[in-house]
Amino acid sequence: MREPEERDEHRFDPEIDAAKALLNRMRKLAEERGDRRVDAARMEKVRKRQAARRGFMDKGGSPEPGAIRDPRAIGEVVARLSKARGWNTQVAVGSVLGRWNEMVGEDIAAHCKPESFEDTVVIVRCDSTSWATQLRLLSHQLLKKFDAELGPGIVTVIRVLGPNAPSWRHGMRSVAGRGPRDTYG
């Protein structure tokens, strides 16, 4: 009679065998589908790190279940996006050209218009030589203002051009000399 008891001690519980068999079968099916086995503790660390990056952490450092971030101003969101994507310089270029009237003042903007912005150089066309001279004298102050509003190094040079005058040199028989000067503004 002793023999059956010994056999019973070494046998496993049938419920545990069924659970293990089901688990092994499910693992095998997952492997056949191409699913990988994931360590739960490692995935929890990854989830916490991603939540912290997105701003779901509370002050204690652990994510609150169902936490919702506070709304942010659209300017802050766009600034973070442009910084993350490396668009700061392009956005600053658009700011100089788009907000020219606001940045230099209405008086200057009425007579001087930005033509282009390349490699930290703003090219400005004035409607008369007197305004071109005036803008050249004010360029140092404008550069300081651009640095304060856009950030340092965005605009380093303001190149001022005079008015577009028609060319009087046409044909083979043009007269040599200085020509008609700035009489257009």
Side-chain angles (χ1 to χ4, degrees):
M1 224 156 132
R2 197 131 168 62
E3 290 179 33
E5 282 181 38
E6 285 181 24
R7 265 192 267 148
D8 288 339
E9 286 178 17
H10 297 296
R11 283 188 41 187
F12 293 106
D13 189 8
E15 292 178 17
I16 295 176
D17 282 329
K20 280 188 178 182
L22 179 63
L23 179 64
N24 288 333
R25 199 170 349 134
M26 297 307 282
R27 283 182 179 165
K28 187 174 183 180
L29 288 172
E31 279 181 24
E32 289 172 1
R33 281 193 313 259
D35 293 341
R36 294 183 328 195
R37 190 169 177 192
V38 178
D39 183 16
R42 182 170 174 236
M43 286 309 294
E44 181 64 22
K45 288 180 185 177
V46 169
R47 190 185 65 74
K48 283 183 181 180
R49 190 170 50 242
Q50 288 174 344
R53 212 177 292 144
R54 291 187 193 124
F56 285 109
M57 292 288 194
D58 64 356
K59 303 239 189 275
S62 62
E64 297 175 10
I68 299 174
R69 293 179 284 177
D70 289 335
R72 294 188 175 138
I74 189 75
E76 181 184 334
V77 172
V78 170
R80 285 179 59 196
L81 177 68
S82 67
K83 184 178 179 183
R85 303 282 172 125
W87 297 340
N88 281 349
T89 305
Q90 292 90 343
V91 170
V93 169
S95 292
V96 170
L97 299 179
R99 297 177 23 201
W100 178 258
N101 296 355
E102 174 188 329
M103 294 179 86
V104 298
E106 294 299 321
D107 293 338
I108 296 173
H111 299 283
C112 303
K113 305 285 183 216
E115 284 191 347
S116 66
F117 188 165
E118 297 176 17
D119 299 329
T120 72
V121 177
V122 177
I123 298 174
V124 179
R125 173 89 50 195
C126 296
D127 60 5
S128 69
T129 55
S130 60
W131 273 104
T133 303
Q134 185 67 23
L135 193 64
R136 284 186 192 103
L137 293 172
L138 292 173
S139 65
H140 184 68
Q141 293 170 346
L142 290 175
L143 286 173
K144 283 184 180 179
K145 188 169 186 175
F146 290 151
D147 281 349
E149 292 203 21
L150 303 173
I154 301 296
V155 179
T156 57
V157 176
I158 299 175
R159 189 159 29 141
V160 182
L161 304 174
N164 281 336
S167 172
W168 296 101
R169 296 186 179 257
H170 297 290
M172 294 173 34
R173 295 186 173 91
S174 64
V175 178
R178 292 178 59 182
R181 306 289 169 277
D182 178 22
T183 56
Y184 302 98

